[in-house]
């Protein structure tokens, strides 16, 4: 079972890769993903291995586990799940559990690992006693999940102070170095450089020493320690001063700070975007209103939703009408008008009037919970570029360290051997070049910018109500060249409506008769006013409805009914469903009923074509004539009709041979086809577990126009990812070559290059939030 462990203190993308590798080595761990941007570990393991995973996290550099929760929510029946904090040890957890279970009417389990109490109380009094016991047990508090968002300065105060102290001493050191270089003031200069070096260097050197002790060598701390200390040693021995060695560490720490600020900004934007959950709900019980948590609501409860409040759970309006702000769910700026009988999704905002509603689904099964769960777990599935960078960084860093050693030792040895004299100046020159080589080789720009790009793309999609399960799904959507669609509920509304009729009398008569029919087609006549009243209605299976109107026999059905009753009529040549009407033996007319094509479907398909989809196909179980009519009206390239489920699956597998396949359906009936598609998209089924499981992407609303928007975001994100990969590698390799080939290539240029490439890559990655 997948579990999410929230962490803090992971300040390096390359370190995230190393932590991921360490967790993957633990026995019992099936898979592990460390999300540097989201500051969490997503791990698939048993309970036995979970403690080892937490221990590895807590003992990895400055990382600490701050929270851990199951990805799959636990349904406890009448149990209440209470998040707590400040429970200091597992033994205290056991003591708290014993204390709770000693209360009459209380059954409790204290989960120290998840910092959770699962509480079952027989009476309200027992519940109150249990809450009192929890909040009065040592330093334990109930965690309401609300954390004040720190400002940039507060969040990075320690790093800012370290850099500020370093700069305070570094600037005078530069002045002394320039004014009194080589004089007695040189020792003052050394002291100032040392005071500038210590604040920014000690965290890096300490981490390097700690990692070396545990057998971890090739990380960015090691690279920067080697480059900085090496430059200082060279400066002391050659009399060139310490400026470059100190500048390397100072600029590196400034770059790390700017990286943290940029990543934090991206992280906060996602947090604000997904701020959909209501803090409370107003339950109407026994004529009174009670404020409760959304998690405490049960299906069938009646709730009050005030103007300005978020809808806490999925529900149906039972009293009143209002307008809803759905922007957070589907990106639509225009409010949606709803009335009694309309279902509304959690996360939308009531902007008009006070209304009452009936709870349809508990919070854990509601739209907002599904959305939050999808976005929270979206980093677990990595795209190929992410996997490539992770693997690349694993071998890249050791390779450049070995190359730097060869540059520092082997190259000058060969040169001196050819010249016939082993000169220290030659070795000094090439050691200096190797230090520049090491500085620019740091892979952080690549390791952070790629997942950050996908993270931004997923967040941008969510803003429009496009829920993407992971970066691999976004990547497949961008790469696909074939799109296949289910018909009913996807390209069409899934509800029947009158398309045309030959006489007003026939329409009114049909409306009177179809009131007694249970067939789905009868819904097409539900809103039609009729002066006629039908009696003695009989539904003839496979034929239609037979009843009496004004003392005459009314027949309302298909051609077979007309033929069997001996009615003279003219068969209509139509691809739509036809309903013939006869009154008192006389033919009254024919009505065409059709499943309406969705508004904007044709335009959405045209946009997909413009975005590189080479072939569009409809797969349906409907008859060929109707399917071809819909396909022609929408401008589809092809359609396959009268397909049984296994035939639809075979057709989808055949389409996959033509290129990456997008399949769009309802996520329930089409689950087998969705499983074989490269990218499965479900329409408006966010409240359905079947839809979530079967699809890679969920469109919160039934608006097919979201699909080309998702394609644009996916293609834009993939483009940015490759810009970062190619651009970073080109710049880094160019500086590497220059640092080795140009005598006296300044070390400070290498550090500016490294920091600059990293910041450019991060800023470019953040452009995903601007894709339209």
């Amino acid at each position: 079972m997948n579990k999410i462990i929230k962490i803090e203190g992971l300040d390096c993308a390359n370190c995230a890769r190393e932590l991921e590798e360490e967790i993957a080595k633990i026995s019992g761990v099936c898979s592990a993903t460390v999300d540097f941007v989201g500051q969490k570990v997503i791990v698939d393991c048993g309970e036995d291995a979970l403690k080892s995973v937490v221990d590895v996290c807590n003992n990895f550099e400055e990382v600490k586990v701050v929270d851990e929760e199951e990805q799959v929510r636990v349904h406890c029946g009448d149990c209440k799940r209470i998040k707590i904090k400040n429970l200091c040890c597992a033994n205290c957890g056991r003591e708290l559990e014993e204390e709770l279970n000693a209360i009459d009417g209380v059954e409790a389990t204290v989960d120290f690992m998840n910092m959770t109490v699962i509480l079952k109380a027989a009476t309200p009094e027992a519940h109150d006693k249990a809450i009192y016991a929890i909040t009065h047990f040592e330093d334990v508090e109930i965690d309401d999940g609300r954390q004040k968002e720190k400002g940039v300065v507060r969040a990075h105060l320690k790093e800012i102070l370290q850099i500020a102290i370093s700069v305070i001493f570094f600037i005078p050191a530069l002045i002394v170095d320039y004014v009194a270089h080589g004089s007695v003031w040189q020792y003052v200069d050394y002291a100032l450089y040392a005071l500038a070096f210590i604040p920014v260097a000690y965290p890096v050197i300490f981490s390097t020493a700690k990692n070396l002790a545990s057998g971890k060598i090739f990380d960015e701390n090691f690279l920067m320690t080697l480059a900085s200390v090496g430059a200082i040693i060279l400066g002391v021995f050659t009399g060139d001063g310490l400026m470059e060695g100190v500048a390397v560490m100072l600029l590196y720490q400034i770059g790390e700070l700017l990286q943290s600020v940029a990543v934090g900004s991206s992280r906060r934007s996602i947090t604000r975007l997904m701020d959909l959950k209501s803090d409370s709900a107003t339950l109407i019980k026994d004529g009174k209103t009670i404020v409760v948590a959304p998690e405490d609501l049960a299906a069938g409860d009646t709730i009050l939703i005030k103007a300005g409040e978020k809808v806490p759970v999925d529900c149906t309006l039972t009293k009143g009408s209002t307008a809803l702000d759905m922007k957070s769910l589907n990106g639509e700026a225009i409010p949606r008008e709803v009335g009694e009988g309309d279902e509304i999704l959690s996360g939308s905002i009531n902007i008009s009037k006070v209304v009452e509603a009936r709870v349809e689904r508990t919070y854990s099964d509601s739209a907002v919970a599904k959305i939050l769960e999808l976005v929270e777990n979206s980093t677990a599935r990595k795209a190929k570029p992410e996997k490539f960078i992770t693997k690349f960084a694993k071998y890249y860093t050791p390779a450049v360290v070995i190359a730097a050693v060869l540059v520092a030792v082997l190259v000058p040895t060969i040169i001196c051997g050819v010249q016939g004299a082993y000169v220290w100046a030659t070795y000094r020159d090439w050691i200096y070049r190797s230090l520049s080589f090491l500085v620019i080789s740091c892979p952080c720009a690549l390791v952070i910018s790629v997942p950050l790009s996908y993270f931004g793309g997923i967040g941008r999609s969510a803003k429009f109500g496009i829920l993407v399960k992971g970066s691999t799904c976004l990547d497949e959507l961008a790469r696909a060249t074939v799109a296949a669609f289910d018909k009913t509920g996807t390209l069409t509304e899934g509800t029947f409506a009158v398309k045309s009729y030959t006489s007003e009398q026939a329409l009114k008569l049909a409306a009177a008769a179809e009131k007694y029919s249970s067939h789905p087609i009868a819904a097409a006549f539900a809103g039609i006013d009729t002066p006629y009243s039908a009696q003695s209605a009989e539904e003839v299976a496979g034929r239609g409805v037979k009843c009496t109107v004004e003392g005459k026999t009314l027949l309302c059905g298909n051609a077979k009914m007309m033929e069997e009753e001996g009615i003279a009529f003219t068969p209509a040549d139509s691809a739509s469903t036809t309903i013939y009407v006869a009154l008192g033996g006389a033919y009254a007319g024919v009505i065409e009923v059709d499943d309406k094509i969705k508004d904007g479907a044709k335009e959405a398909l045209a946009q997909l074509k413009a975005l590189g989809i080479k072939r569009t196909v409809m797969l349906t179980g409907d008859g060929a004539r109707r399917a071809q009519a819909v396909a022609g009206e929408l401008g589809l390239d092809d359609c396959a009709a009268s397909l049984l489920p296994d035939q639809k699956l075979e057709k989808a597998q055949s389409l996959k041979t033509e290129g990456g396949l997008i399949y769009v359906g309802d996520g329930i009936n089409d689950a087998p086809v969705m499983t074989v598609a490269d990218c499965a998209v479900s329409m408006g089924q966010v409240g359905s577990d079947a839809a979530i499981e079967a699809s890679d992407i969920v469109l919160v609303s039934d608006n097919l126009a979201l699909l080309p928007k998702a394609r644009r975001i996916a293609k834009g994100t993939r483009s940015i990812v490759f810009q970062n990969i190619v651009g970073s590698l080109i710049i880094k390799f160019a500086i590497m070559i220059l640092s080795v080939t140009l005598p006296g290539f300044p070390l400070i240029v290498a550090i500016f290059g490294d920091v600059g490439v990293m910041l450019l890559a991060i800023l470019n990655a953040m452009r995903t939030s601007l894709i339209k």
Side-chain angles (χ1 to χ4, degrees):
M1 180 183 290
N2 279 344
K3 296 178 177 64
I4 297 173
I5 303 172
K6 293 186 178 179
I7 57 176
E8 63 182 6
L10 186 62
D11 56 3
C12 164
N14 199 41
C15 296
R17 176 189 61 79
E18 293 175 358
L19 176 58
E20 188 175 296
E21 289 176 1
E22 284 203 23
I23 294 172
K25 293 175 185 174
I26 298 173
S27 176
V29 172
C30 300
S31 65
T33 300
V34 176
D35 177 7
F36 169 64
V37 177
Q39 290 284 291
K40 61 178 179 278
V41 177
I42 303 171
V43 60
D44 183 4
C45 67
E47 292 297 329
D48 294 339
L50 184 60
K51 187 177 184 304
S52 299
V53 174
V54 172
D55 289 342
V56 166
C57 292
N58 280 325
N59 289 284
F60 185 87
E61 297 187 358
E62 304 300 320
V63 174
K64 293 296 175 190
V65 172
V66 294
D67 184 31
E68 183 211 337
E69 61 188 17
E70 293 182 3
Q71 180 180 336
V72 180
R73 299 184 181 272
V74 178
H75 298 274
C76 313
D78 295 329
C79 295
K80 185 175 182 179
R81 196 177 182 87
I82 303 171
K83 296 292 293 181
I84 59 174
K85 55 187 177 183
N86 302 333
L87 185 62
C88 61
C89 66
N91 191 49
C92 293
R94 178 187 59 78
E95 292 174 2
L96 175 59
E97 185 174 302
E98 290 175 357
E99 191 172 315
L100 289 170
N101 285 315
I103 301 171
D104 288 339
V106 170
E107 293 179 24
T109 301
V110 177
D111 184 351
F112 172 68
M113 192 69 66
N114 286 316
M115 283 291 168
T116 304
V117 176
I118 300 174
L119 180 69
K120 186 175 183 180
T123 64
E125 291 77 14
H127 177 270
D128 292 342
K129 287 180 180 179
I131 296 297
Y132 181 87
I134 293 170
T135 55
H136 287 76
F137 183 86
E138 297 184 356
D139 296 323
V140 173
E141 297 176 19
I142 292 177
D143 186 359
D144 61 4
R146 299 178 186 175
Q147 294 181 346
K148 289 184 178 179
E149 189 177 293
K150 297 180 180 178
V152 173
V153 174
R154 284 189 61 197
H156 303 283
L157 185 60
K158 182 181 176 182
E159 295 87 347
I160 292 171
L161 285 174
Q162 288 170 345
I163 292 169
I165 292 169
S166 179
V167 170
I168 287 170
F169 289 107
F170 186 71
I171 292 173
L174 280 177
I175 295 170
V176 172
D177 195 5
Y178 179 75
V179 174
H181 183 69
S183 69
V184 72
W185 284 92
Q186 182 176 356
Y187 298 104
V188 175
D189 192 36
Y190 282 178
L192 289 172
Y193 274 130
L195 291 171
F197 184 70
I198 291 169
V200 289
Y202 89 85
V204 179
I205 294 174
F206 177 77
S207 294
T208 300
K210 186 178 176 182
N211 291 342
L212 287 173
S214 60
K216 294 182 294 182
I217 300 175
F218 302 113
D219 68 351
E220 66 170 358
N221 291 313
F222 176 78
L223 293 178
M224 290 304 161
T225 299
L226 196 59
S228 182
V229 173
I232 288 172
I233 293 171
L234 276 181
V236 171
F237 276 98
T238 61
D240 290 338
L242 312 180
M243 188 274 290
E244 285 192 323
V246 178
V248 164
M249 198 62 80
L250 178 57
L251 288 171
Y252 168 68
Q253 290 288 41
I254 291 173
E256 288 294 291
L257 174 62
L258 293 174
Q259 170 190 291
S260 297
V261 170
V263 173
S265 173
S266 178
R267 192 180 293 138
R268 285 191 298 274
S269 69
I270 294 293
T271 302
R272 287 193 293 268
L273 172 66
M274 300 317 298
D275 185 22
L276 299 173
K277 183 182 175 182
S278 175
D279 295 326
S280 62
T282 305
L283 174 66
I284 300 175
K285 193 171 185 179
D286 300 327
K288 297 179 181 178
T289 58
I290 309 168
V291 178
V292 299
E295 290 88 346
D296 294 336
L297 295 173
D301 283 347
T302 299
I303 59 174
L304 188 74
I305 308 173
K306 300 174 185 176
E309 286 185 343
K310 291 176 187 172
V311 178
V313 292
D314 299 349
C315 51
T316 300
L317 283 187
T318 55
K319 187 176 180 181
S321 61
T322 188
L324 296 177
D325 180 352
M326 304 283 289
K327 196 159 50 250
S328 296
L329 289 174
N330 58 20
E332 292 293 334
I334 301 173
R336 176 190 166 199
E337 299 291 335
V338 290
E340 292 180 12
D342 289 335
E343 184 172 340
I344 55 178
L345 295 178
S346 52
S348 51
I349 300 173
N350 179 15
I351 60 175
S352 183
K353 304 171 186 173
V354 178
V355 293
E356 291 183 14
R358 181 182 65 253
V359 175
E360 295 296 335
R361 289 181 283 274
T362 59
Y363 172 78
S364 60
D365 289 327
S366 67
V368 68
K370 298 294 182 185
I371 292 171
L372 293 172
E373 187 177 352
L374 275 174
V375 174
E376 181 75 10
N377 298 326
S378 62
T379 52
R381 298 171 66 177
K382 291 186 176 182
K384 288 181 180 179
E386 276 188 279
K387 293 176 182 176
F388 163 75
I389 288 299
T390 301
K391 193 176 233 182
F392 175 80
K394 180 179 180 180
Y395 298 105
Y396 166 81
T397 307
V400 295
V401 171
I402 293 168
V405 171
L406 294 176
V407 169
V409 179
L410 185 60
V411 175
T413 301
I414 293 171
I415 292 172
C416 288
V418 171
Q419 294 175 346
Y422 291 89
V423 182
W424 160 241
T426 303
Y427 279 93
R428 181 191 64 195
D429 178 43
W430 284 95
I431 290 172
Y432 185 85
R433 297 188 195 197
S434 71
L435 294 178
S436 296
F437 186 87
L438 276 178
V439 168
I440 193 60
S441 66
C442 184
C444 268
L446 289 168
V447 177
I448 190 176
S449 65
V450 172
L452 186 60
S453 300
Y454 282 116
F455 190 75
I458 291 169
R460 183 63 172 169
S461 300
K463 189 172 182 179
F464 295 104
I466 304 161
L467 308 182
V468 184
K469 277 191 176 181
S471 55
T472 183
C473 308
L474 206 64
D475 220 40
E476 292 293 351
L477 178 61
R479 294 170 59 232
T481 57
V482 181
F485 301 84
D486 178 39
K487 182 179 81 69
T488 307
T490 302
L491 296 173
T492 63
E493 296 285 358
T495 55
F496 287 94
V498 173
K499 183 179 179 182
S500 66
Y501 49 91
T502 56
S503 73
E504 191 74 25
Q505 183 193 28
L507 180 65
K508 302 292 186 182
L509 288 169
E514 294 292 347
K515 286 181 180 179
Y516 299 95
S517 175
S518 60
H519 196 280
I521 290 177
F525 300 90
I528 298 173
D529 292 329
T530 176
Y532 302 107
S533 177
Q535 293 88 32
S536 305
E538 175 191 357
E539 191 161 10
V540 183
R543 299 294 185 268
V545 178
K546 186 176 184 179
C547 56
T548 302
V549 170
E550 297 176 348
K552 300 177 182 178
T553 300
L554 173 64
L555 302 175
C556 184
N558 57 22
K560 289 183 179 179
M561 172 176 270
M562 298 295 111
E563 291 168 357
E564 291 172 0
E565 295 290 336
I567 304 297
F569 74 104
T570 304
D573 183 17
S574 173
S576 302
T577 300
T578 50
I579 299 173
Y580 299 93
V581 181
L583 181 62
Y587 177 61
V590 61
I591 303 162
E592 288 183 288
V593 174
D594 222 332
D595 184 3
K596 183 186 175 185
I597 290 175
K598 282 188 175 180
D599 293 337
K602 185 174 182 178
E603 292 78 5
L605 291 170
Q607 288 177 40
L608 283 176
K609 284 276 193 179
L611 288 166
I613 296 296
K614 297 178 181 176
R615 190 161 181 236
T616 54
V617 183
M618 183 172 68
L619 308 180
T620 179
D622 282 8
R625 190 170 183 184
R626 174 59 185 150
Q628 287 168 358
V630 171
E633 189 172 343
L634 290 171
L636 290 162
D637 295 319
D638 194 8
C639 73
S642 304
L643 296 177
L644 296 173
D646 58 329
Q647 293 172 323
K648 188 180 280 192
L649 183 61
E650 288 175 9
K651 183 64 177 175
Q653 289 171 329
S654 173
L655 289 172
K656 280 188 69 174
T657 63
E658 302 177 25
L661 175 65
I662 302 169
Y663 182 80
V664 189
D666 60 17
I668 301 172
N669 301 327
D670 295 311
V673 185
M674 288 186 155
T675 303
V676 303
D678 296 291
C679 180
V681 182
S682 62
M683 296 281 293
Q685 295 290 329
V686 74
S688 164
D689 284 330
I692 299 295
E693 289 300 319
S695 56
D696 300 305
I697 295 174
V698 180
L699 306 182
V700 173
S701 68
D702 283 330
N703 186 1
L704 200 62
L706 290 177
L707 187 58
K709 186 179 286 291
R711 169 82 169 183
R712 274 193 297 273
I713 294 171
K715 286 176 72 70
T717 301
R718 184 173 169 83
S719 175
I720 288 171
V721 165
F722 279 94
Q723 287 169 16
N724 280 340
I725 292 174
V726 176
S728 297
L729 287 176
I730 287 174
I731 295 171
K732 280 184 172 288
F733 284 140
I735 297 177
M736 281 182 189
I737 292 168
L738 291 173
S739 67
V740 173
T741 57
L742 290 181
F745 185 83
L747 183 62
I748 200 165
V749 172
I751 188 65
F752 268 119
D754 177 59
V755 172
V757 168
M758 179 176 64
L759 291 177
L760 282 174
I762 290 172
L763 291 172
N764 192 41
M766 293 174 73
R767 285 199 306 116
T768 51
S769 63
L770 303 175
I771 301 173
K772 295 182 179 180

